[in-house]
Amino acid sequence: MSVPLPEHEYGYDVCLSFASEEREYVEQVARALRDLGLRFSYANDEEASLWGKELPEHLDEIYRRSALFCVVFVSAAYAAKMWTTHERRSAQARALADPGEYLLPVRFDDTELPGLRPTIGYIDARTTPAGRLAVLLREKLGLREPSPAHRSETALTAVPSGPSPSDPREPSPGETVWRVTTGGLVQSSPRVLGGTVYFGSGDGRVRAVEADTGAERWSVATGGAVWSSLMVAGHTVHAGSQDHNVYALDADTGLERWRITTGGAVWSSPTVVDGTVFVGSRDHHLYAIGATNGHERWRFRTVGDVDSSPSVCGDTVYVGSDDRCLWALDTATGRERWRFRTGGAVRSSPATHDRSVYVGSDDDFLHAVDTETGAERWRHRTGDRVRSSPAVAGDLVYIGSHDGNLYALDATSGHERWRRRVGEWLQASPTVADGTVYIGSDDHGLWALDAVSGRVRWRCETESAVLTRPTVSGRIVCVGGQDGALRAVRT
């Protein structure tokens, strides 16, 4: 749920409470947080300010009053130490009074802490890289975006990044042509139509910029972060927001045509087919909405959050859910046709090809399922969860995994043709165009690979992790990243 920030102005986005035995990992987290531009407090950064202070009072101020979130790194050493106990008690006192999710556990082992219920969701440090934890914290902060009354508009400036005006040279493949910087993380995959790039940002705005230069055409504020990718259809931009709304905006002006309110944050990206908008919500529903008037036609309840973006093939809409299922529903009525159960949450967005629907799962597999019956055709195991969404081209299906690899698999059999390691974890999804696979990575790069062999054609340094699916239009490919920038790169 999206929680408006209170009136109190916090000095830190997050404070870190840990035992010295875990210092090496926490220092890596701190470096990643600093790279993301987040404000944080932890002991190594506080040596000068702690010198001479009355520590119990100062630490109580830090862990009870000074941050939006407190991350507690749980371990046997943490439970046994005096000062970490003092920090934990201050944090728990704040958690009792805070209606939001203030205390965020990260576990090094299964040690029980007094007052920390075992039912509270946690991140496992044994399997989560420090950089990934920092990204999750940034996402968590995005869920607590300021309400519109507290949000200031961020000026958008296009910065040419290619050759200087005095240099007539054309940008080379893999060279950044322009970039625009927003006030929040860009996880919304861009859409390009009619010379305009449309995208959302963690600063709560939907934007339209010129595809050639990045110059802003219009910008519209929603009431929450826009992580959902946009859909442009019928001269209308459709966008989901963390404020629980789905918006329809005029593609030329940004003027609102309609909005509809769901019961939860909208991470799912809208799909528009035959006058109907299909979109999921964290209220566990998939919605079918009239594209022209915003009237709800039907909704279907799953048993988990619907972050997956729906895919329509014929008269069936396919969508994943945190309830571990891939669902197939009648597009006209929302009636269930079948469900396929995986071994983990399904946040990957399905792709259809011939008689197969492909989808990733947190069970580490890419699944190929019969579109008519819901029977599994094959599965391919990767080295970690699969939240990337597949791309199908020719006889191959391409998928990224949190194991850092991009896989090319035979679409019929699931046999691996090639894999290429492009980072530590992959959240972004691949795009295939003109024999090239484009994929953004946590290694601060946009990769272009030969679609048949996996050979690297070029790599563009993006200065931060790339979180969006690349969008190719003409001679540019657009991606967004952790640094709040949208980049256009020469193909």
Side-chain angles (χ1 to χ4, degrees), residues 275-293:
T276 301
V277 182
F278 300 93
V279 66
S281 169
R282 286 200 164 180
D283 66 3
H284 299 185
H285 287 90
L286 177 71
Y287 289 80
I289 304 163
T292 56
N293 55 23

Side-chain angles (χ1 to χ4, degrees), residues 22-34:
E22 278 69 62
R23 183 176 301 279
E24 181 179 355
Y25 179 88
V26 176
E27 286 181 345
Q28 294 176 29
V29 173
R31 285 195 294 271
L33 291 173
R34 187 177 291 112

Side-chain angles (χ1 to χ4, degrees), residues 347-351 360 386-391 398-400 427-430 469:
R347 296 190 178 181
S348 168
S349 300
V386 181
R387 292 190 174 178
S388 170
S389 300
Y398 303 87
I399 191 70
Q427 177 171 311
S429 303
R469 171 169 253 160

Side-chain angles (χ1 to χ4, degrees), residues 114-194:
L116 186 66
R117 294 189 300 276
T119 53
I120 294 178
Y122 67 90
I123 299 297
D124 194 330
R126 293 164 290 192
T127 59
T128 306
R132 174 61 182 158
L133 178 60
V135 172
L136 292 172
L137 281 168
R138 180 63 181 83
E139 292 178 2
K140 193 72 176 176
L141 285 159
L143 295 181
R144 291 185 60 144
E145 286 287 331
S147 63
H150 293 94
R151 183 183 293 111
S152 59
E153 181 172 350
T154 304
L156 190 69
T157 304
V159 180
S161 300
S164 66
S166 61
D167 182 358
R169 176 179 63 86
E170 273 286 308
S172 303
E175 187 173 353
T176 299
V177 179
W178 54 257
R179 73 178 187 278
V180 293
T181 301
T182 74
L185 176 132
V186 178
Q187 189 168 304
S188 168
S189 297
R191 302 287 191 226
V192 184
L193 186 68

Side-chain angles (χ1 to χ4, degrees), residues 447-478:
W447 295 71
L449 309 174
D450 183 274
V452 175
S453 66
R455 179 181 59 83
V456 178
R457 290 185 166 168
W458 51 257
R459 177 187 175 278
C460 173
E461 175 62 37
T462 57
E463 302 174 22
S464 76
V466 176
L467 303 178
T468 71
R469 171 169 253 160
T471 299
V472 180
S473 178
R475 299 184 63 196
I476 64 168
V477 53
C478 295

Side-chain angles (χ1 to χ4, degrees), residues 242-261:
Q242 296 294 299
D243 67 2
H244 300 193
N245 289 311
V246 179
Y247 293 83
L249 309 173
D250 184 276
D252 283 336
T253 64
L255 290 176
E256 183 176 316
R257 292 183 168 173
W258 54 257
R259 77 173 74 175
I260 186 171
T261 303

